Amino acid sequence: MLPADLGRWKRLSAVPLAAAVVAVLVVPGPDRVAASPPAGLECRTAADNAFDLTATGGYAAMPDGNTIYMWSYASGGGEFQLPGPTLCVTSGTKVTVVLHNSLPEPTSITFPGQAQVLADGRPAQPETDAAGTLTSLTTTAAANSGAVTYTFTAGPPGTYLYQSGTDVQKQVQMGLYGALVVRPAGHPDRENDRADSAFDPDHEYLYLLGEIDPDLHLAVERRRAYDFTRYKARYFTINGRSMPDTIAPNHAEWLPAQPYGALIHIRPYDPVGNPKPALIRYLNAGSVAYPFHPHGSDEQLIARDGRPAQGPAGQDLSFSNFLIDVSPGQTVDTLMIWKDAEHWDPQGNPIPVPLPSLQDQIVGPGPETWFAENPYLGGTPGELPPGVVQNNQCGEYYHVAHSHALEQATNYGASFGGMMTLIRIDPPAGCPA
Amino acid sequence: MAAIPFRIPRPRPGRLVLPLLVLALVAVSIVRFGGYAAARPGYAVPHDGQLEAALGVRFTQAAVVGDGGLVELRYLVLDTQKASAFQNDTKHPPRLRNERSGKLAWRAALMKQGHELRPGQSYYLLYLNNGGAVRRGDTIEITSGQRRLAHVPVR
Amino acid sequence: MTDPVRQGSISRRALLAGLTGLGTWAVLPESGSDAQPRRPAALLPRAVPNPTASLHLAATDGWVSMPQGSPPISPFWPDPLAPAGSDLYVFGFRDVTGLSATEVTGQRGKAQITAPLLGFDQETDIKIKLTNLGLSQRPDLVDGHTVHWHGFRNAIPLFDGVPELSISVPIGREFTYFYRPHDAGTYMYHCHFEDVEHVQMGMTGIVYVRPAQNSGTADVPPGRYVYNDGDGSTRYDREFALMLTEVWAEAHYRDAHIQTTDWTDYKPSFFAFNGRCYPDTLAPNGDPLSQAAGRLRYQPISSLITANAGERVLLRLANLGYRNHTLTVDGVDLLVVGKDAALLRGRDGSAEYQVTSTVQIGPGESRDVILTAPEPGTYLLYDRDLTSLANAGGGRGGQLTEIRISPPGTLPAQTRANA
Ligand SMILES: [Cu+2]
Ligand SMILES: [Cu+2]
């Protein structure tokens, strides 16, 4: 730039620049995150249901130290994130998703479960090449800065995937997927229109399940060919993270591109004080079924693929599970509570078997450790039997929840990792910070 | 480029306005729209060559997780045999002492992640954050046997 | 899960309470996924103590046998380290209830697969003592063991058996787990110490809970039911439990030969019912304490299903492999009444039973399936996934067993499951 230009540029820029500063401070983005809870589903909403997604590349961190090149979505000119932002809309509203493509090849978004999706105003259509070979399941945005605008009317309330419809085998595996949450009109605290799908909005969780073959990602990063017959997933993720990163907070600073945690944090069911269940939204963006096993509590399966579990006359056809087997491309929503079934209490109702003494805990060889010395939920040191020590924050419980295809509950083979997270249960009175 | 008909020399203080505004825009954008990657100040755990040589591991992260109830200590395996000995020495698990308050997090769940720790890979320990001993932003001292590593930032 | 709002059949439930417990709540489930109305959560005195059941399990390693004549998987199977008459290294549980301390120690290195079949009455106070006998083949390992009652509702971590979150039992030690089951149905149990390894190595078994309804209610006579159904629709005459597992021979070999395994390479070679592959599935029940049991001494649980024509046969199906499996019975309809130890009935009582010819079971899932014994003859029960119908990739085998139906009145009443 010529020096002569500089002054003008400055002069012309100062005011808008100042305005921009103010705007950034006071005006919400084109779409926004309502709140940023440390744990739980984080919605991206937009006043006019218009979302801006950029398909782009970035890096995801695995707990074993590996860094994986991924493709996923950046929202509204923000940072690359895996998975794409969780888009929340209300059933029956018009939704607009503008896809910008910064990838070196065409890409697209399919919205499984949404009807009559338009692309740039015309029905979204499969694409073929000159020879008639299918190249994309839906209308694409051209490589390197192409764009396409999808519009549709949000379908029945529930949980949906959105994901690439182009070179699906590669692009979805690369990370081009996210969750679309459709809320029932007038009832944001229900999973669907049924009253028995009500949940506690402060306890809504996202389990977007996926997998990674690092060889494929390396090949894409280096623009080399990859032989899909050698495909072998080594990392298994919830919301793009593996244990222990799944229990890190949302937006943990060491996971800049993986903003969504998967810790479940609840209190025991109580008909008065805590009557509403938590809601868990499972989505499978991988290539195999993920048999997900929550410990400590079963879950009521109330919907699949955005359809409530109900009969033609509205009968409740939900059912109880200790294993939620989510098929590829499928979504499953469950309600979950944990009940203090026995109300163990050191004085009035002690646990009827001997508790190992503190001595045992210290000298135990191997990884035999006492993680929750105190078996009494919320028990304070004064209430505990002799020798039993309170070593957690406030007497809270931790249960694990994980894939029961147990090779998936590893970080590249190292156990207690992978597709796994924790369920934290605080005492009824909560846990002081 | 076209000539500029009304180029007017500006007083000196004005020269700072633009860079300041640009800086301000960058800063508020980062705060407001949350770039999380490069925008963050670097996180680094102090290195101690002697400790690493003795234990066969390099501590790389201390973090508060589990909504504040747990502390994660992550380490990189440098030497498989020493790291296995370190990991299996549950009589002397590393302790985490909060340098600010003096509180200890000492109850580890020793995650035995496979029979063999692969060099170059990271593994982790989880601690009960008893009584909220460790908080984000604190620094801790990690003690393992006679070895100690001070000023480890917690994130 | 157990939903807080539950309607219907209150009178039935109240009657059940009146009959079996004289109004005490000790017999009532705190949490019922059995489509029962729920007793409000409250701390009331326990007027009548529950019956108690005590059990002693030992955890150790050992050697078992896959079907003879299967194609070798060199060098992994047959394992050259295996003692005569065996060919596969395993970890497993043993029932050592009532044995002396010396006898218990004597079971080191004598694990069985699959683990002992356990059945308890609802509302029993169950104490399971687990002793870790160590690994005779791998004295270098200090692995703990645990009991994880998979699917137990409203569990507390202490008895959940996840070592990272509570405890595991060190070698030479013991720990007593306590359970008070309130929900009938078919569960499973397994070790959760390095679960990807210990489960694959064989520490897997079925545990089931018999409903309180078995002692009779105003609506249903005393009998054998799968659930507290309130209408007798889950009544059965004979029950057979099938634990589905997979054996990745290479990993078993590596464990015996002090080598490590990348578990994401998982590639199973054998597919078993109750720790046996066809045709071993048909052999009668054995006893690990009996020398006479022969090659299958440490695989004592038979999968042969026998019944008289017209009888209702309950299949308790559970999968602790890492792959989905789909079972079928040629020519016989299957009535699925339960999944994951819960009666298939909506929260409003709507029926969700399913008549089908195939039942898919994912890893960690269970199903309760009732079939009505057809005309006398032999019927095959097997995995529809044909790669699971082979032993080490060769020939017929794997997850296949027979249902042998006799004319009415031929077999005496069944005295225990899988017999
Ligand atoms: Cu074990
Ligand atoms: Cu399990």
Side-chain angles (χ1 to χ4, degrees), chain C residues 59-60 91-93 130 132 135 143-147 190-195 197-199 203:
Chain C
T60 183
F91 300 168
F93 292 106
L130 175 67
N132 182 348
L135 304 172
D143 285 26
H145 294 293
T146 73
V147 172
H190 61 82
C191 178
H192 220 292
F193 186 99
E194 294 221 26
D195 55 358
E197 178 193 17
H198 286 215
V199 167
M203 306 189 76

Side-chain angles (χ1 to χ4, degrees), chain A residues 293 295 402 404 406, chain C residues 148-151 188 190 192 195 199 320 364:
Chain A
H293 176 51
H295 284 223
H402 60 93
H404 221 287
L406 294 172
Chain C
H148 167 58
W149 183 321
H150 175 111
M188 53 210 97
H190 61 82
H192 220 292
D195 55 358
V199 167
L320 280 175

Side-chain angles (χ1 to χ4, degrees), chain B residues 81 115-116, chain C residues 61 63 76 79 81 89 91 135-143 197 201 249-262:
Chain B
Q81 289 209 327
H115 288 149
E116 187 179 292
Chain C
D61 61 350
W63 296 90
F76 308 120
D79 191 322
L81 288 177
Y89 183 57
F91 300 168
L135 304 172
S136 61
Q137 179 68 25
R138 290 296 301 274
D140 59 308
L141 292 183
V142 292
D143 285 26
E197 178 193 17
M201 288 301 288
E250 181 177 338
H252 289 243
Y253 172 93
R254 290 188 188 285
D255 259 18
H257 294 251
I258 321 189
Q259 297 175 10
T260 56
T261 296
D262 179 347

Side-chain angles (χ1 to χ4, degrees), chain C residues 379-396:
Chain C
Y379 301 81
L380 296 181
L381 185 166
Y382 59 93
D383 195 329
R384 290 282 297 146
D385 159 19
L386 301 178
T387 63
S388 301
L389 280 180
N391 297 328
R396 55 171 201 167

Side-chain angles (χ1 to χ4, degrees), chain C residues 98-350:
Chain C
L99 298 191
S100 73
T102 318
E103 288 169 325
V104 171
T105 313
Q107 305 311 313
R108 181 174 142 96
K110 297 177 178 173
Q112 78 173 55
I113 67 166
T114 195
L117 179 56
L118 307 179
F120 299 105
D121 292 327
Q122 185 188 329
E123 307 307 321
T124 301
D125 282 6
I126 302 164
K127 297 176 180 178
I128 298 180
K129 182 162 82 176
L130 175 67
T131 299
N132 182 348
L133 296 178
L135 304 172
S136 61
Q137 179 68 25
R138 290 296 301 274
D140 59 308
L141 292 183
V142 292
D143 285 26
H145 294 293
T146 73
V147 172
H148 167 58
W149 183 321
H150 175 111
F152 195 90
R153 288 186 185 82
N154 305 307
I156 70 171
L158 178 62
F159 301 124
D160 194 47
V162 176
E164 293 85 352
L165 299 175
S166 56
I167 62 159
S168 67
V169 184
I171 295 170
R173 304 277 190 87
E174 60 191 40
F175 177 71
T176 301
Y177 294 85
F178 179 85
Y179 309 98
R180 183 179 288 154
H182 303 300
D183 301 281
T186 302
Y187 301 80
M188 53 210 97
Y189 68 104
H190 61 82
C191 178
H192 220 292
F193 186 99
E194 294 221 26
D195 55 358
V196 64
E197 178 193 17
H198 286 215
V199 167
Q200 166 57 211
M201 288 301 288
M203 306 189 76
T204 52
I206 286 180
V207 55
Y208 58 92
V209 175
R210 293 177 284 257
Q213 176 180 299
N214 279 3
S215 50
T217 72
D219 296 306
V220 297
R224 296 206 276 176
Y225 304 92
V226 198
Y227 288 100
N228 293 302
D229 54 47
D231 58 11
S233 57
T234 64
R235 188 191 65 78
Y236 63 87
D237 299 298
R238 297 175 191 273
E239 61 186 315
F240 297 87
L242 297 183
M243 166 56 72
L244 283 64
T245 58
E246 300 139 5
V247 174
W248 184 22
E250 181 177 338
H252 289 243
Y253 172 93
R254 290 188 188 285
D255 259 18
H257 294 251
I258 321 189
Q259 297 175 10
T260 56
T261 296
D262 179 347
W263 293 97
T264 59
D265 283 332
Y266 187 66
K267 195 168 179 291
S269 7
F270 293 98
F271 303 86
F273 287 150
N274 295 327
R276 300 172 173 183
C277 306
Y278 181 85
D280 295 341
T281 48
L282 305 179
N285 285 312
D287 177 2
L289 289 173
S290 161
Q291 298 277 2
R295 190 175 65 85
L296 298 174
R297 177 174 176 182
Y298 297 112
Q299 293 145 281
I301 304 178
S302 174
S303 299
L304 176 64
I305 295 164
T306 54
N308 297 320
E311 288 180 332
R312 283 165 70 89
V313 177
L314 168 65
L315 304 177
R316 298 185 182 273
L317 308 174
N319 178 3
L320 280 175
Y322 304 166
R323 297 280 181 268
N324 283 59
H325 294 285
T326 304
L327 301 187
T328 193
V329 180
D330 273 345
V332 179
D333 280 347
L334 305 172
L335 176 69
V336 185
V337 300
K339 175 189 191 294
D340 295 353
L343 183 68
L344 280 171
R345 198 172 280 179
R347 289 167 293 175
D348 58 4
S350 298

Side-chain angles (χ1 to χ4, degrees), chain A residues 388-413:
Chain A
V388 175
V389 183
Q390 171 64 275
N391 272 318
N392 42 8
Q393 202 181 7
C394 57
E396 76 273 23
Y397 286 164
Y398 294 93
H399 275 300
V400 71
H402 60 93
S403 167
H404 221 287
L406 294 172
E407 82 278 12
Q408 297 170 350
T410 70
N411 292 326
Y412 212 144

